[in-house]
Amino acid sequence: MVETARSLFLERGYSSTTIEAISERSDTPQATVYRLFASKLGILKSVLDEAVPMLERPQVRALLSDQDPKQRVTGFAGMLRDLMARTAPMHRVLVEAARSDREAASLLSEIARQRREGQRRIARSLARQGALRPGIRERDAADIIHALASPEVYGLLVSDRGWKGDRYEAWLRDTLAEQLLS
């Protein structure tokens, strides 16, 4: 059902995809769809993989505890590549939905808040270890990470310009290391 919803959201957009269409195409009774997800936004949350906040995921905790700053940046780039490959097309759907749906706008805002917090934690871990380049403050590092690791930059390079995931990951890793690490 979630894959059916993903397909419909990508084909039709959020506003033109109905629970009825998801129910029909997935051959699932509408009552079951509502029981499992409560709303179309609930389905979108499942499609976006937002069930577990990023900072609570084991791989993120392991990344933040890695003592080698270069490995931390490398791990972050790899994790982000995987995340973006799964969620970037749906992020664009959410941005479109947020223009007309208050609950979708709230979800987009919450995802952005969680993203900023995760990026701040990476910057903080590098700063506390003394790994930042001279002249780069923790806040500057968080801003650099925020800009370079954004869904928009991923979309520009991978979706719009046709970069492969490996190229994006290497670029992000190298650029973050160059911009942040001493």
Side-chain angles (χ1 to χ4, degrees), residues 56-120:
E56 294 177 20
R57 295 177 188 198
Q59 71 186 53
V60 174
R61 289 178 186 216
L63 174 78
L64 288 170
S65 66
D66 194 316
Q67 293 303 305
D68 180 348
K70 186 135 177 114
Q71 282 303 110
R72 202 171 313 136
V73 169
T74 297
F76 176 68
M79 183 191 67
L80 194 67
R81 171 206 173 173
D82 294 344
L83 175 70
M84 292 292 189
R86 286 192 320 271
T87 64
M90 292 310 301
H91 185 268
R92 287 183 174 192
V93 170
L94 178 59
V95 168
E96 177 254 321
R99 291 185 185 120
S100 60
D101 184 298
R102 192 173 311 160
E103 289 180 339
S106 179
L107 174 61
L108 181 62
S109 178
E110 176 58 20
I111 289 170
R113 186 196 66 72
Q114 288 180 18
R115 188 174 135 244
R116 282 189 309 273
E117 178 58 27
Q119 293 163 344
R120 270 193 225 112

Side-chain angles (χ1 to χ4, degrees), residues 14 18 33 76 79 140 146 169:
Y14 181 80
T18 63
V33 175
F76 176 68
M79 183 191 67
D140 298 331
H146 184 73
E169 181 180 344

